[in-house]
Amino acid sequence: MAEVEAIAQNLLELDEDELMAQLGTRSQAIEASPRAASIESLEEEVPVPRGAFDDLLRAGKNIFAPASAQAYKILCSPVGGDSELAAELDKLMNQKTADAAAKMTAAIAPVLVTSLGLPQSIAVMVGSLIVKKVAKGTSDFICENWKETLEGSATANTPESSPIAPVELPDTPEPSAS
């Protein structure tokens, strides 16, 4: 976990667009080499080619938007919400430190791996982006703030014609009423 926190601190130093482009770059690197899916691979920065920045930024957004929305459902919805983890994230959010942000990323990443099936490196990057976006607002409750960022990005990320296809994430099954 400490390794994830250290990597997350480095990722959190990037601005959102750089991190989003890194996410797009990482997804392409995973296609070329499955080794790029490991957390250890995040210790080596994958350069974002200048001419491809906009395409990689779009690719990163295509990965981030559905992953963030599905993670929100898992962590913050009344039906599937993990109230213990949401409470821990809330506590960390209130600390407003780089260390707390890294711990939030480290707490979110395993959920993204196990529940959404994301590769570890992508999960850490998506977790970092979630923390960056959620930490921007002034809401005291992380799920309320996260919901606001999802609503804002839904209107801002209208589909554009792009040569990069969106990444399909597995649907999370709704818990059955027993």
Side-chain angles (χ1 to χ4, degrees):
M1 180 89 87
E3 180 181 337
V4 174
E5 289 176 22
I7 291 169
Q9 280 188 329
N10 290 335
L11 291 172
L12 289 164
E13 290 175 8
L14 300 172
D15 73 27
E16 281 184 36
D17 283 349
E18 289 173 319
L19 187 51
M20 198 73 74
Q22 280 288 325
L23 180 58
T25 302
R26 179 66 50 178
S27 69
Q28 289 184 352
I30 290 171
E31 288 178 20
S33 168
R35 184 188 137 359
S38 72
I39 290 175
E40 293 81 23
S41 73
L42 288 173
E43 293 172 351
E44 307 158 12
E45 186 175 331
V46 178
V48 176
R50 287 186 194 262
F53 186 84
D54 289 341
D55 288 340
L56 293 169
L57 179 65
R58 218 174 0 261
K61 287 178 179 180
N62 286 341
I63 294 167
F64 176 74
S68 179
Q70 288 185 352
Y72 172 81
K73 286 180 193 172
I74 292 166
L75 294 170
C76 296
S77 72
V79 175
D82 181 343
S83 59
E84 257 182 58
L85 182 55
E88 178 65 21
L89 294 174
D90 242 4
K91 186 176 102 181
L92 290 169
M93 177 63 86
N94 288 331
Q95 292 176 20
K96 298 181 194 280
T97 65
D99 187 45
K103 286 180 181 180
M104 284 178 64
T105 300
I108 293 170
V111 173
L112 298 173
V113 171
T114 58
S115 298
L116 303 182
L118 293 177
Q120 292 178 328
S121 60
I122 297 291
V124 172
M125 296 180 91
V126 168
S128 297
L129 275 162
I130 288 170
V131 170
K132 284 185 88 59
K133 289 182 173 290
V134 171
K136 275 184 169 180
T138 58
S139 174
D140 288 335
F141 187 62
I142 189 170
C143 289
E144 290 173 19
N145 201 13
W146 194 347
K147 183 177 179 183
E148 288 175 20
T149 65
L150 286 173
E151 290 167 352
S153 62
T155 56
N157 289 333
T158 55
E160 300 173 14
S161 60
S162 166
I164 300 169
V167 173
E168 293 292 325
L169 296 174
D171 289 329
T172 51
E174 294 293 325
S176 60
S178 301

Short mmCIF file of all heavy atoms in Angstrom, two decimals, residues 15 17-18 21-22 48-58:
data_model
loop_
_atom_site.label_atom_id
_atom_site.label_comp_id
_atom_site.label_asym_id
_atom_site.label_seq_id
_atom_site.Cartn_x
_atom_site.Cartn_y
_atom_site.Cartn_z
N ASP A 15 -1.03 18.13 -13.45
CA ASP A 15 -2.35 18.76 -13.57
C ASP A 15 -3.29 17.75 -14.23
O ASP A 15 -2.87 16.72 -14.75
CB ASP A 15 -2.29 20.11 -14.30
CG ASP A 15 -2.06 20.03 -15.80
OD1 ASP A 15 -2.42 19.01 -16.43
OD2 ASP A 15 -1.54 21.00 -16.36
N ASP A 17 -5.13 17.63 -16.96
CA ASP A 17 -4.96 17.30 -18.38
C ASP A 17 -3.74 16.41 -18.60
O ASP A 17 -3.79 15.46 -19.38
CB ASP A 17 -4.86 18.56 -19.23
CG ASP A 17 -6.21 19.22 -19.46
OD1 ASP A 17 -7.25 18.61 -19.12
OD2 ASP A 17 -6.23 20.35 -19.97
N GLU A 18 -2.64 16.72 -17.90
CA GLU A 18 -1.45 15.87 -18.04
C GLU A 18 -1.73 14.46 -17.54
O GLU A 18 -1.35 13.48 -18.18
CB GLU A 18 -0.28 16.46 -17.24
CG GLU A 18 0.30 17.73 -17.81
CD GLU A 18 1.33 18.35 -16.88
OE1 GLU A 18 1.12 18.36 -15.65
OE2 GLU A 18 2.36 18.81 -17.41
N ALA A 21 -3.95 12.67 -20.04
CA ALA A 21 -3.16 12.24 -21.21
C ALA A 21 -2.27 11.06 -20.84
O ALA A 21 -2.10 10.13 -21.64
CB ALA A 21 -2.33 13.40 -21.75
N GLN A 22 -1.71 11.07 -19.62
CA GLN A 22 -0.91 9.94 -19.16
C GLN A 22 -1.77 8.67 -19.09
O GLN A 22 -1.31 7.58 -19.42
CB GLN A 22 -0.32 10.21 -17.77
CG GLN A 22 0.91 11.08 -17.78
CD GLN A 22 2.12 10.35 -18.33
OE1 GLN A 22 2.30 9.15 -18.13
NE2 GLN A 22 2.95 11.08 -19.04
N VAL A 48 4.34 11.37 -23.11
CA VAL A 48 3.20 11.69 -23.96
C VAL A 48 3.74 12.44 -25.18
O VAL A 48 4.29 13.53 -25.04
CB VAL A 48 2.18 12.59 -23.21
CG1 VAL A 48 1.04 12.99 -24.13
CG2 VAL A 48 1.65 11.89 -21.98
N PRO A 49 3.64 11.84 -26.37
CA PRO A 49 4.14 12.52 -27.58
C PRO A 49 3.39 13.84 -27.79
O PRO A 49 2.17 13.91 -27.67
CB PRO A 49 3.84 11.54 -28.71
CG PRO A 49 3.54 10.23 -28.05
CD PRO A 49 3.06 10.53 -26.67
N ARG A 50 4.13 14.90 -28.09
CA ARG A 50 3.53 16.23 -28.26
C ARG A 50 2.41 16.26 -29.29
O ARG A 50 1.36 16.79 -29.03
CB ARG A 50 4.60 17.24 -28.69
CG ARG A 50 5.54 17.63 -27.61
CD ARG A 50 6.44 18.74 -28.15
NE ARG A 50 7.56 18.95 -27.29
CZ ARG A 50 7.61 19.90 -26.38
NH1 ARG A 50 6.61 20.71 -26.23
NH2 ARG A 50 8.67 20.04 -25.63
N GLY A 51 2.64 15.69 -30.44
CA GLY A 51 1.65 15.73 -31.50
C GLY A 51 0.39 14.93 -31.21
O GLY A 51 -0.64 15.15 -31.82
N ALA A 52 0.48 14.01 -30.27
CA ALA A 52 -0.66 13.15 -29.97
C ALA A 52 -1.36 13.53 -28.67
O ALA A 52 -2.25 12.82 -28.23
CB ALA A 52 -0.20 11.70 -29.90
N PHE A 53 -0.99 14.65 -28.06
CA PHE A 53 -1.53 15.02 -26.75
C PHE A 53 -3.05 15.05 -26.76
O PHE A 53 -3.69 14.48 -25.88
CB PHE A 53 -0.97 16.37 -26.28
CG PHE A 53 -1.39 16.71 -24.88
CD1 PHE A 53 -0.69 16.22 -23.79
CD2 PHE A 53 -2.50 17.51 -24.64
CE1 PHE A 53 -1.08 16.52 -22.49
CE2 PHE A 53 -2.90 17.82 -23.35
CZ PHE A 53 -2.18 17.32 -22.27
N ASP A 54 -3.66 15.73 -27.73
CA ASP A 54 -5.12 15.84 -27.77
C ASP A 54 -5.80 14.48 -27.90
O ASP A 54 -6.81 14.21 -27.24
CB ASP A 54 -5.58 16.77 -28.89
CG ASP A 54 -5.25 18.23 -28.61
OD1 ASP A 54 -5.00 18.57 -27.43
OD2 ASP A 54 -5.23 19.02 -29.57
N ASP A 55 -5.25 13.61 -28.75
CA ASP A 55 -5.82 12.27 -28.91
C ASP A 55 -5.68 11.46 -27.63
O ASP A 55 -6.60 10.74 -27.24
CB ASP A 55 -5.15 11.53 -30.07
CG ASP A 55 -5.53 12.08 -31.43
OD1 ASP A 55 -6.58 12.76 -31.52
OD2 ASP A 55 -4.79 11.85 -32.40
N LEU A 56 -4.53 11.58 -26.98
CA LEU A 56 -4.32 10.83 -25.73
C LEU A 56 -5.16 11.39 -24.60
O LEU A 56 -5.65 10.65 -23.75
CB LEU A 56 -2.83 10.84 -25.37
CG LEU A 56 -1.96 10.04 -26.34
CD1 LEU A 56 -0.48 10.30 -26.09
CD2 LEU A 56 -2.27 8.56 -26.27
N LEU A 57 -5.36 12.70 -24.61
CA LEU A 57 -6.24 13.33 -23.62
C LEU A 57 -7.66 12.80 -23.79
O LEU A 57 -8.31 12.42 -22.82
CB LEU A 57 -6.21 14.86 -23.78
CG LEU A 57 -7.08 15.67 -22.85
CD1 LEU A 57 -6.62 15.53 -21.41
CD2 LEU A 57 -7.03 17.14 -23.25
N ARG A 58 -8.12 12.72 -25.04
CA ARG A 58 -9.45 12.20 -25.33
C ARG A 58 -9.55 10.72 -24.92
O ARG A 58 -10.54 10.28 -24.35
CB ARG A 58 -9.76 12.37 -26.83
CG ARG A 58 -11.18 12.72 -27.12
CD ARG A 58 -11.51 13.04 -28.57
NE ARG A 58 -10.47 12.97 -29.58
CZ ARG A 58 -9.80 14.02 -30.05
NH1 ARG A 58 -10.06 15.23 -29.62
NH2 ARG A 58 -8.88 13.88 -30.97
#
